[in-house]
Amino acid sequence: MLVSTLCWAHKQRTLKQIRERNFEQNGGNMLLQRLSQQQGYTDRTKIFTQVELQNATNNFDEDRILGRGGQGTVYKGVLPDNMLIAIKKSKVGGDPRQIKDFINEVVVLSQINHRNVEKLLGCCLETDVPLLVYEFVDNGTLLDHIDPLKNECSISWETRLKIAVETAEAISYLHSATSIPIIHRDIKSTNILLDHNHRAKVSDFGASRLVPLDETQVTTMVQGTLGYLDPEYLHTG
């Protein structure tokens, strides 16, 4: 009995050390520092535990996968209160630049409160790669609805116009209404999610940039998807 207890205690200490190491490697200290600089936003971003998200996704079962992309895999999860969530499992693997982009996405989204922007609920940094937890948006991407190869029952032009207006309102909010202006830098049909009422939700802020209010002209390293980039931004930064 004593040996079993000692082995269990040793295993728990080892797991705790792994979680602490992952938290540091995934930019946990950087995130806490950045969030502490944003007054009033820290409480909006919950730090989930690894166990909570394993339980929500049935241990990240393949059947829970909503999609895969260049930035990672997205899983559908269910919290104990039956709230549906989307969990983005990043492909960040210790690269300082990728970690910085990940932390930037968390900090950016922690400031945003708009009905046409996908809401960030929190993140988990205890796992080998960081996880972002979002509200669940149940009707796929805009591309899923306008690409004839994916959907023969294309949405109406009236609905498309509504989605365009809502997306424009979200971008206007990011540029003008947030405490620090936000440049998304990768607006495209796969980054616009739709709910069951075809309401637009702008998503994927990994390439975003916070712009201090005192900067009238801002030069950034060009990021985004070719074919969707603003020509002036592409040529001048």
Side-chain angles (χ1 to χ4, degrees):
M1 183 66 178
L2 177 60
V3 173
S4 298
T5 302
L6 290 174
C7 288
W8 180 86
H10 175 71
K11 181 179 180 180
Q12 294 305 307
R13 281 196 302 272
T14 301
L15 290 174
K16 182 180 178 182
Q17 290 170 351
I18 292 173
R19 289 195 297 267
E20 290 174 347
R21 183 191 66 203
N22 287 338
F23 184 86
E24 183 175 351
Q25 289 180 347
N26 290 330
N29 294 328
M30 186 193 312
L31 174 61
L32 293 177
Q33 182 180 15
R34 293 280 302 276
L35 288 176
S36 68
Q37 296 168 356
Q38 307 289 336
Q39 285 189 344
Y41 295 113
T42 307
D43 294 339
R44 294 184 190 175
T45 309
K46 178 179 178 180
I47 307 298
F48 287 87
T49 67
Q50 180 178 0
V51 171
E52 284 179 302
L53 298 188
Q54 284 176 331
N55 291 339
T57 58
N58 194 20
N59 202 24
F60 296 99
D61 192 292
E62 289 278 321
D63 291 339
R64 295 293 186 94
I65 293 177
L66 295 172
R68 290 186 173 94
Q71 298 298 319
T73 304
V74 181
Y75 294 83
K76 180 179 180 180
V78 185
L79 295 178
D81 62 359
N82 292 323
M83 180 180 182
L84 295 177
I85 57 175
I87 302 167
K88 180 179 172 183
K89 190 173 186 179
S90 173
K91 287 186 177 179
V92 173
D95 184 320
R97 175 56 194 274
Q98 289 182 311
I99 290 292
K100 186 177 179 180
D101 287 345
F102 169 79
I103 296 304
N104 184 66
E105 183 168 3
V106 176
V107 172
V108 167
L109 288 171
S110 71
Q111 297 188 60
I112 298 173
N113 184 21
H114 191 279
R115 65 180 182 176
N116 298 120
V117 176
E118 184 185 27
K119 185 177 181 180
L120 176 72
L121 303 177
C123 63
C124 176
L125 303 175
E126 295 180 350
T127 45
D128 55 345
V129 294
L131 307 173
L132 286 173
V133 182
Y134 296 93
E135 65 173 322
F136 178 70
V137 184
D138 58 4
N139 208 2
T141 71
L142 175 59
L143 180 63
D144 293 334
H145 293 266
I146 61 176
D147 184 349
L149 297 178
K150 292 188 174 186
N151 191 337
E152 294 181 0
C153 301
S154 183
I155 54 179
S156 69
W157 282 106
E158 182 180 5
T159 300
R160 294 179 189 218
L161 179 59
K162 179 180 79 74
I163 292 168
V165 170
E166 290 175 347
T167 302
E169 288 176 346
I171 296 170
S172 177
Y173 165 84
L174 296 172
H175 289 183
S176 306
T178 53
S179 58
I180 300 177
I182 299 166
I183 303 174
H184 186 288
R185 298 201 287 184
D186 201 18
I187 297 290
K188 57 184 179 181
S189 56
T190 52
N191 286 341
I192 299 171
L193 304 179
L194 301 178
D195 69 8
H196 59 283
N197 290 320
H198 291 108
R199 175 183 289 173
K201 300 272 188 177
V202 176
S203 68
D204 200 344
F205 284 75
S208 300
R209 170 90 193 276
L210 297 174
V211 182
L213 290 170
D214 57 355
E215 293 189 28
T216 55
Q217 291 187 332
V218 178
T219 301
T220 71
M221 186 182 76
V222 174
Q223 286 186 260
T225 304
L226 290 176
Y228 293 90
L229 290 169
D230 171 12
E232 184 178 4
Y233 168 59
L234 177 62
H235 286 98
T236 68

